[in-house]
Amino acid sequence: MSVSVTFGEDDLTELAAETAGRLAAEGVPQALASGDSRLWGPEAQAEAAVRLGWLNLPHTSRELLPEIDALVRRARAEGLDHVVLAGMGGSSLAPEVITASDDVPLTVLDTTDPGQVRRALSDRLESTILVVASKSGGTVETDSHRRIYEKAFRDAGIDPASRIVVVTDPGSPLEQTAREAGYQVFLADPNVGGRYSALTAFGLVPSALAGADVERLLDDAAEVLPLLSRTEGNPGLDLGAALGAAAAAGRDKLVIEDGLSEINGLPDWIEQLVAESTGKSGKGILPVVGADPGDAEDELLAGIDTDGVVTVAGPLGAQFLVWEYATAVAGRVLGIDPFNQPNVSESKENTAALLDRAELPVGTPLLVDGPVEVYGELPGDGEAKDLSDVFTRLLEAIPSDGYLAVMAYLDREAAFDAPYAEGASFEEMTDVWSGADAATLRGMLAIRTDRPVTFGWGPRFLHSTGQYHKGGPQNGAFLQITGAVENDLEVPGKPYTLGRLQLAQALGDLGALAGRGRPVVRLHLTDRVAGVARLLAAAREV
């Protein structure tokens, strides 16, 4: 089965057809299929020339299958049935979707939260195999995870070389470190960017270890590949034309809904691909995941195997390829380079500078509401009286064409370990919920505004929507949530702990956003459980 793209509005059907026809007349489908790096203009050509390898992955990645199969057999023979992936952005989001869709277990570490990392460490270390995945080889989160696991394995009398597998680009610092340590190394195609890497070793190695059928993934992608050079019946062209033309016409908020199908979690992967690829030069498409579509004129509803204004249906491997192709096409329509990420480094550089300081500059709270401290410059006049007032002012500060981004530097899995009482009230359960249920705040604020509200876990979103926040249209309002760390975790060989790194990342991004003059407020939970409960209670009072 291939991928189908259908439209549920006559106006969009006409706009997409007109744009696709113009692109076809310009020879875009054939040029893109052949890897022509000139499609996005002279300024983008150098980058594009080394970023189009994803077009051939349904065939070239098959070369990896024998070595992957051998690794899987070795892991099974040794009883290594707990697969942990340390990776960020494209290195973690694709395997997360692949394994969820195949219903096989994979522990994903794309966090610097000490509690979340401790939980992974305490889970069956004796049968754990760790995949360390970093394209650059210098990703600070992934490097921290590797160091922590190396020490944990040694402390348990386990040779790290028997448990750690590395996926990276040729010549990266991580490749050198891994080979010196005796780790098995899989080299990914260097001509594929991180967010386009679903069908490279970054997506295939951890997914196969977890038990996913990665050969079928490549088969499904190979089936749709011949369609992508056509001027008609080309799902990638149709989807890209619709996304780009709609955004250029003002419908630049892409609300993505999951259908009831065999694919689970694809919107999170699409979010990173689209936001980081298009959010630059003051332009872009903002994916909104996990939200009910509203009546805003600038929203475009995309359904994944479910009805939407744009409906995309088909198997996962084919969808990966079609969405990548469509994003590249949308970049041409919008006049941007879909392969660079010029603003991602800002927060990284800010974080590095903060970590060099003796103390992190947390500032003085403007307001303390129980277990919640409020930092930043509040929009509106006068002093805020409580947390509900803070929410109200932030919502009122969203521009008529803007959005609110909620960014939580917490343990995104904490709520799954909270006790559940049969028949307990909402208020009773908020007394024990923490971490992941901070995500509930998004929906509670969304019903109090007609503007889109997004939610991201930090630092995970920095490798995704973080580029859009800083490089896209400057019409966002930002709510950041941090939390006190009770049980920190040392990063071996580094002068900081995970908790310090986590807070430095939050403050680094805060500085990058505040420097653009956008409304940004940080809420710090001095007690995470009580703090989340207070956030939800205050949101109900808005």
Side-chain angles (χ1 to χ4, degrees):
M1 175 185 176
S2 188
V3 172
S4 64
V5 177
T6 56
F7 306 117
E9 289 181 359
D10 291 342
D11 288 348
L12 182 63
T13 301
E14 183 177 342
L15 181 63
E18 178 184 338
T19 305
R22 174 172 56 81
L23 293 169
E26 295 169 354
V28 170
Q30 300 91 334
L32 180 51
S34 65
D36 189 339
S37 61
R38 298 170 296 176
L39 285 170
W40 301 274
E43 292 184 2
Q45 186 172 356
E47 181 80 23
V50 293
R51 289 291 177 264
L52 293 172
W54 52 272
L55 289 160
N56 302 312
L57 291 175
H59 301 309
T60 58
S61 283
R62 292 182 187 278
E63 300 170 3
L64 295 168
L65 294 181
E67 188 177 359
I68 292 176
D69 288 342
L71 172 63
V72 171
R73 289 195 299 272
R74 193 260 291 180
R76 299 290 182 270
E78 296 177 8
L80 305 180
D81 57 1
H82 181 214
V83 184
V84 178
L85 170 61
M88 300 298 298
S91 299
S92 63
L93 288 166
E96 195 168 61
V97 176
I98 295 167
T99 54
S101 298
D102 266 20
D103 195 23
V104 293
L106 176 68
T107 297
V108 175
L109 288 182
D110 54 0
T111 181
T112 45
D113 188 84
Q116 194 170 335
V117 175
R118 281 189 181 278
R119 185 182 306 107
L121 277 173
S122 64
D123 183 11
R124 297 167 288 159
L125 185 68
E126 70 284 354
S127 61
T128 291
I129 184 166
L130 174 72
V131 179
V132 178
S134 170
K135 180 177 175 63
S136 69
T139 310
V140 65
E141 301 94 337
T142 306
D143 179 70
S144 299
H145 300 150
R146 175 183 61 81
R147 293 170 179 270
I148 289 168
Y149 265 87
E150 284 175 340
K151 182 178 185 301
F153 284 137
R154 291 192 184 102
D155 289 350
I158 299 171
D159 180 5
S162 69
R163 299 300 187 87
I164 296 179
V165 177
V166 165
V167 182
T168 190
D169 272 10
S172 77
L174 180 56
E175 182 193 3
Q176 180 178 351
T177 298
R179 295 202 186 280
E180 290 173 353
Y183 303 155
Q184 184 170 357
V185 176
F186 286 84
L187 295 178
D189 187 336
N191 293 317
V192 178
R195 56 189 178 273
Y196 291 80
S197 65
L199 300 177
T200 70
F202 286 107
L204 303 182
V205 172
S207 301
L209 272 172
D213 185 350
V214 297
E215 186 172 4
R216 185 189 64 194
L217 201 72
L218 295 176
D219 288 343
D220 290 337
E223 185 176 341
V224 79
L225 186 59
L227 304 180
L228 301 183
S229 59
R230 297 182 181 178
T231 56
E232 294 184 2
N234 181 336
L237 178 65
D238 293 341
L239 179 58
L243 297 179
R251 298 180 72 174
D252 59 352
K253 312 300 189 300
L254 183 66
V255 181
I256 311 173
E257 282 193 340
D258 239 339
L260 296 176
S261 72
E262 295 180 353
I263 298 177
N264 292 310
L266 187 58
D268 285 340
W269 177 83
I270 295 172
E271 178 185 55
Q272 188 231 1
L273 173 71
V274 172
E276 198 171 44
S277 296
T278 69
K280 58 201 70 169
S281 304
K283 306 176 184 179
I285 301 169
L286 176 67
V288 184
V289 176
D292 293 327
D295 297 324
E297 293 182 354
D298 57 351
E299 289 185 356
L300 180 67
L301 175 62
I304 308 301
D305 282 338
T306 191
D307 289 341
V309 176
V310 179
T311 300
V312 186
L316 180 58
Q319 290 233 24
F320 279 146
L321 196 57
V322 165
W323 278 97
E324 289 165 350
Y325 185 103
T327 300
V329 169
R332 178 179 169 92
V333 174
L334 292 172
I336 54 94
D337 176 357
F339 304 112
N340 68 353
Q341 48 276 333
N343 304 105
V344 168
S345 63
E346 291 181 44
S347 296
K348 293 180 181 179
E349 292 168 358
N350 289 352
T351 297
L354 289 170
L355 287 173
D356 286 339
R357 301 177 63 159
E359 293 185 6
L360 296 179
V362 295
T364 303
L366 305 173
L367 169 71
V368 178
D369 187 335
V372 182
E373 298 174 341
V374 181
Y375 296 85
E377 295 185 10
L378 285 177
D381 298 325
E383 297 181 359
K385 62 181 183 294
D386 57 21
L387 192 54
S388 295
D389 193 18
V390 172
F391 288 152
T392 298
R393 293 195 189 191
L394 202 55
L395 290 170
E396 291 175 347
I398 304 172
S400 60
D401 62 345
Y403 64 98
L404 172 66
V406 182
M407 307 162 293
Y409 289 79
L410 301 170
D411 179 348
R412 73 181 173 107
E413 298 176 347
F416 301 131
D417 286 349
Y420 176 77
E422 186 72 29
S425 68
F426 180 85
E427 289 75 12
E428 290 170 333
M429 286 309 301
T430 57
D431 289 337
V432 296
W433 287 347
S434 64
D437 282 89
T440 304
L441 182 64
R442 189 214 64 77
M444 298 181 72
L445 294 177
I447 63 174
R448 289 159 173 81
T449 178
D450 60 358
R451 303 308 306 147
V453 180
T454 66
F455 186 92
W457 294 107
R460 169 182 169 121
F461 79 88
L462 292 177
H463 301 258
S464 176
T465 52
Q467 165 62 41
Y468 183 96
H469 292 165
K470 294 177 279 289
Q474 295 304 293
N475 57 7
F478 301 92
L479 178 63
Q480 186 185 86
I481 306 171
T482 57
V485 173
E486 294 183 357
N487 192 10
D488 212 342
L489 194 57
E490 297 287 335
V491 179
K494 293 293 183 179
Y496 49 78
T497 62
L498 276 187
R500 179 177 169 86
L501 173 58
Q502 183 183 40
L503 183 56
Q505 289 178 309
L507 296 176
D509 194 49
L510 191 78
L513 294 170
R516 286 169 164 75
R518 299 308 310 150
V520 54
V521 173
R522 179 170 74 94
L523 307 181
H524 184 70
L525 314 182
T526 54
D527 178 299
R528 292 194 179 198
V529 174
V532 168
R534 179 64 195 125
L535 293 182
L536 301 182
R540 291 199 300 274
E541 297 165 3
V542 173

